[in-house]
């Protein structure tokens, strides 16, 4: 909520700059609210377990991970939401906003490993939604090509995908003949 609305709502007799300075003295500052997907307690526990298993990895180990993911890209105006918070509170539920699903746009898939930009792809509208068969037909060959090219230079990549249904589908896993981490 902007400072002028806080003043109005609380019926304060100060200006916005006075309120800003008073909050700053107490450690509160205006920051852009981070966006995050809603997470269940189960998903939080799985992510924490994974992070603890990998906390001591070296830079060399991390550089061998081929990171891949999709994101939804829109051409509409993006409104920033600001919150007033203290340092260290950026991931507090009161300082974040959940992602809202699917405004008109395009699906974009991309990849990278180490300091190497990998292949990317805009998902064409005529391909329809991403499902197991379409993911295996369009994306898996790109992943396979990157892994093969890296292997030809003696770099053995670990493919990292999230738990999307098309990623963990048996057809996808069979097409990718190496170990896949989730």
């Amino acid at each position: 909520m902007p400072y002028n609305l806080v003043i109005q709502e609380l019926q304060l007799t100060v200006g916005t700059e006075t309120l800003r300075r008073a909050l700053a003295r107490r450690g509160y500052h205006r920051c852009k609210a981070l966006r995050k997907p809603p997470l269940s307690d189960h998903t939080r526990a799985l992510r924490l377990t994974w992070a603890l298993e990998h906390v001591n990895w070296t830079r060399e180990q991390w550089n061998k991970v081929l990171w891949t993911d999709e994101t939804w890209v829109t051409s509409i105006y993006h409104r920033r939401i600001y919150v007033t918070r203290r340092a260290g509170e950026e991931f507090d539920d009161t300082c974040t906003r959940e992602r809202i699903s699917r405004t008109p746009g395009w699906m974009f898939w991309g990849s990278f490993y180490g300091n190497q930009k990998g292949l990317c792809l805009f998902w064409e509208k005529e391909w329809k939604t991403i499902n197991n068969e379409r993911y295996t037909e369009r994306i898996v060959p790109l992943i396979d090509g990157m892994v093969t090219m890296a292997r030809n230079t003696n770099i053995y990549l670990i493919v990292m995908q999230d738990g999307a249904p098309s990623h963990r589908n048996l057809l996808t896993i069979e097409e990718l003949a190496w170990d896949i981490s989730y």
Side-chain angles (χ1 to χ4, degrees):
M1 178 181 298
Y3 289 144
N4 63 326
L5 293 181
V6 171
I7 291 168
Q8 182 182 341
E9 183 72 26
L10 298 176
Q11 299 177 354
L12 301 175
T13 57
V14 299
T16 57
E17 189 59 24
T18 302
L19 178 60
R20 186 195 64 74
R21 282 194 309 267
L23 289 170
R25 279 194 304 272
R26 290 165 178 80
Y28 291 94
H29 302 281
R30 300 289 286 167
C31 304
K32 187 174 146 186
L34 299 179
R35 290 178 18 166
K36 66 173 191 165
L39 294 177
S40 67
D41 289 340
H42 177 71
T43 302
R44 286 178 200 265
L46 288 174
R47 288 182 177 193
L48 177 60
T49 299
W50 186 91
L52 292 173
E53 289 171 356
H54 295 84
V55 71
N56 294 317
W57 268 31
T58 65
R59 181 178 295 269
E60 183 178 296
Q61 287 173 298
W62 285 114
N63 284 340
K64 292 181 181 177
V65 177
L66 175 63
W67 300 92
T68 73
D69 206 2
E70 306 86 23
T71 190
W72 192 253
V73 181
T74 64
S75 61
I76 62 170
Y77 172 76
H78 297 278
R79 183 172 168 250
R80 290 186 180 172
I81 295 177
Y82 288 89
V83 296
T84 304
R85 63 170 175 80
R86 289 183 171 155
E89 293 180 336
E90 56 269 17
F91 294 109
D92 187 273
D93 286 342
T94 62
C95 298
T96 60
R97 62 183 179 136
E98 289 185 358
R99 291 185 189 155
I100 299 170
S101 290
R102 303 301 183 251
T103 55
W106 303 268
M107 183 62 73
F108 176 80
W109 175 88
S111 62
F112 70 92
Y113 69 94
N115 63 356
Q116 302 292 313
K117 182 172 58 172
L119 298 174
C120 60
L121 172 80
F122 271 103
W123 194 263
E124 299 292 338
K125 299 251 187 221
E126 60 264 15
W127 298 345
K128 301 182 181 162
T129 60
I130 297 176
N131 64 16
N132 303 333
E133 291 175 2
R134 293 183 194 112
Y135 186 84
T136 303
E137 175 187 338
R138 307 254 183 219
I139 303 297
V140 169
L142 299 177
I143 295 171
D144 185 56
M146 288 190 58
V147 170
T148 301
M149 285 182 359
R151 193 176 292 150
N152 290 340
T153 61
N154 290 322
I155 298 172
Y156 293 86
L157 297 175
I158 300 167
V159 177
M160 175 62 73
Q161 302 186 104
D162 60 23
S166 58
H167 299 172
R168 65 177 189 260
N169 178 270
L170 185 58
L171 181 61
T172 300
I173 292 170
E174 286 175 352
E175 286 292 319
L176 300 173
W178 50 87
D179 291 333
I180 297 178
S181 298
Y182 292 101

